[in-house]
Amino acid sequence: MDYLSKLENQSIYILREAFNKFENLAMLWSIGKDSTVLLWLARKAFFGHVPFPLVHVDTTYKIQSMIEYRDRLVKEWNLKLIVGKNEAVLKSGVTYPNGKATRVECCGTLKKDGLKQVLDQHHFTGVIVGVRRDEEPTRAKERYFSPRDKTWNGTSRTSPPSYGTNSKLILKKGRTFASIHCSTGLN
């Protein structure tokens, strides 16, 4: 088996484990290359069907053809899509292009805060995200199943690194928040 096949099989295993362990699971889909690869893997893991909703945080700054692509795949592949927007920030105009916020502030309010709103509204207990450990050093320490606190902030900085799947994951009552990372690149 070649290296890419091993990565694919490992990701499929992790997706199935996550679906088995979490009651209310979702997957982030930015429509970017990493999350679209993850979507393809999810379809492969569940024989063409994705048994959990996809969450897309719409900043309203995506190219229109990307949104059309998203909507076309949702229809063709019979996907459940939840679109979140931080409407309050968009309405107030405190965004980057008009100079009322820096790029970083704008990204934080439109993406991070918008995502937290969706997660809180739908009471997800697990969220699948595609990460490339080779692109961002802070991601290299993330566990496949990374516990989060009630505000969805990570606890990986104080946890030792995990080099394999946590296949004996035990979810305790009241501690249901987690982020499931599937490597779509090199480990």
Side-chain angles (χ1 to χ4, degrees):
M1 182 181 299
D2 67 358
Y3 183 68
L4 189 57
S5 296
K6 285 180 184 177
L7 276 178
E8 180 180 75
N9 288 340
Q10 182 182 34
S11 293
I12 287 171
Y13 173 78
I14 293 166
L15 286 166
R16 289 176 179 164
E17 279 292 294
F19 182 69
N20 184 39
K21 301 284 185 188
F22 292 89
E23 289 179 22
N24 193 13
L25 188 62
M27 186 173 85
L28 300 186
W29 186 31
S30 68
I31 321 168
K33 64 186 185 324
D34 295 334
S35 65
T36 300
V37 166
L38 190 56
L39 173 57
W40 182 263
L41 287 169
R43 290 185 73 232
K44 193 166 187 177
F46 299 102
F47 310 100
H49 170 69
V50 179
F52 36 76
L54 303 176
V55 174
H56 177 242
V57 179
D58 188 357
T59 62
T60 70
Y61 293 106
K62 291 277 189 203
I63 299 168
Q64 183 58 37
S65 60
M66 288 180 76
I67 301 300
E68 291 167 1
Y69 172 75
R70 176 198 73 188
D71 295 343
R72 182 173 53 84
L73 281 189
V74 165
K75 185 176 179 181
E76 288 176 8
W77 292 354
N78 196 27
L79 303 168
K80 181 178 179 189
L81 178 68
I82 297 169
V83 177
K85 286 184 187 176
N86 191 337
E87 297 284 358
V89 169
L90 288 168
K91 187 182 254 186
S92 72
V94 182
T95 58
Y96 172 68
N98 63 16
K100 292 183 180 179
T102 66
R103 256 185 51 217
V104 173
E105 291 168 337
C106 181
C107 186
T109 57
L110 291 180
K111 290 182 180 178
K112 186 183 74 170
D113 295 347
L115 175 60
K116 283 183 180 181
Q117 291 170 7
V118 170
L119 299 178
D120 291 343
Q121 180 183 358
H122 293 276
H123 307 287
F124 291 116
T125 56
V127 179
I128 301 169
V129 297
V131 295
R132 298 228 4 224
R133 294 166 185 245
D134 60 326
E135 285 187 347
E136 176 58 48
T138 59
R139 295 175 177 168
K141 193 177 175 183
E142 284 284 352
R143 298 172 175 271
Y144 290 116
F145 294 88
S146 295
R148 297 293 194 246
D149 64 20
K150 290 183 180 178
T151 61
W152 288 91
N153 289 318
T155 58
S156 65
R157 294 187 198 284
T158 58
S159 301
S162 173
Y163 298 106
T165 61
N166 297 331
S167 58
K168 294 182 181 174
L169 176 70
I170 298 171
L171 295 176
K172 298 175 186 169
K173 283 246 186 246
R175 178 111 193 241
T176 55
F177 298 96
S179 178
I180 300 94
H181 300 271
C182 290
S183 284
T184 55
L186 303 173
N187 283 337

